[in-house]
Amino acid sequence: MTEMTTTGVPPLPESPLARRTLALVRETESTPTANHSVRSYLFARLCADHRGAQPGRDYDPELLFLACVLHDIGLTEAGDRKQRFEVDGADTAAEFLTAQGVPSADVDDVWEAIALHTSPGIAERRGTLCALVHTGTGMDFGLGTDFVDDATGAAIHAAYPRLSMATTLTDEIVAQARRRPEKAPRFSVAAELVRERAVPPHTTWMETNAGAGRWGN
């Protein structure tokens, strides 16, 4: 089981790579998006414990941290390229991790987890790392959180406030897609958010679901 810090929050990895990765996210992402990325990791660790997945046996906890914390790096200026934001983010993360000397097989695993984090029904079938990144991200929207006690949830949000996260993410995804329509292919998350933003009352499913969920927007 994950040991909690004195604040009641699962600890973050302390390796030099983990610190550099977190610094990159803090420097390049908006605060709501960066906080969401860290909370996704914390929820993923709690989910792994709940499912009986053992770090070091069933998954690499540092790779889980890297994949979760970098999963929205495609919404940064450096990650804003010509693919849907999930793929741009996977490519950007892979380039960063490769430059840090991470083995190619580990880079590939992180790439896949980031690229598939919005793909329910696929991510869960691509191994423990993909499944945990997808689930941890969803838990931050309030999905499947029944096993998380109120005190732990409150501690996580005190350390990493939400700050209207779903609205911020929507705004960032839509802004990119409007500048570069090729980033919102038909049936993608980005395409749906662009469509909903254009129709009164301009509130998207992502904001509505988060607002109605356990943690709120």
Side-chain angles (χ1 to χ4, degrees), residues 12-214:
L12 303 184
E14 291 289 341
S15 71
L17 175 59
R19 291 192 183 117
R20 288 193 294 270
T21 301
L22 184 58
L24 172 69
V25 167
R26 287 293 185 201
E27 290 166 4
T28 60
E29 292 184 0
S30 64
T31 300
T33 300
N35 283 0
H36 160 64
S37 298
V38 176
R39 289 194 308 269
S40 296
Y41 166 74
L42 299 176
F43 286 129
R45 282 304 303 267
L46 294 175
C47 177
D49 289 348
H50 178 67
R51 294 178 177 179
Q54 295 294 318
R57 184 194 72 185
D58 301 311
Y59 69 98
D60 183 323
E62 181 158 85
L63 292 186
L64 179 61
F65 176 79
L66 298 174
C68 285
V69 171
L70 291 168
H71 84 266
D72 278 333
I73 200 73
L75 298 177
T76 65
E77 182 177 352
D80 186 7
R81 304 178 184 185
K82 295 183 179 181
Q83 303 293 318
R84 46 190 286 187
F85 82 93
E86 303 96 327
V87 176
D88 277 346
D91 288 346
T92 305
E95 291 167 7
F96 169 73
L97 296 176
T98 298
Q100 302 299 313
V102 176
S104 59
D106 291 342
V107 173
D108 287 345
D109 288 344
V110 171
W111 187 96
E112 183 177 47
I114 294 174
L116 294 177
H117 81 267
T118 63
S119 298
I122 300 174
E124 299 93 329
R125 300 182 65 173
R126 295 304 302 161
T128 303
L129 179 64
C130 271
L132 288 175
V133 173
H134 171 70
T135 301
T137 303
M139 287 177 66
D140 197 43
F141 283 87
L143 302 175
T145 65
D146 291 349
F147 64 89
V148 179
D149 63 76
D150 290 341
T152 299
I156 288 172
H157 286 98
Y160 304 99
R162 298 190 71 77
L163 306 175
S164 299
M165 169 271 294
T167 298
T168 298
L169 286 174
T170 299
D171 289 343
E172 292 172 351
I173 294 168
V174 169
Q176 283 191 347
R178 285 176 172 167
R179 287 194 302 270
R180 300 185 180 188
E182 67 269 26
K183 293 176 64 66
R186 194 175 183 186
F187 306 121
S188 66
V189 168
E192 181 63 11
L193 294 177
V194 169
R195 185 189 68 78
E196 291 183 333
R197 261 288 190 261
V199 178
H202 309 292
T203 302
T204 64
W205 62 269
M206 190 155 71
E207 295 165 280
T208 299
N209 289 351
R214 182 177 179 186

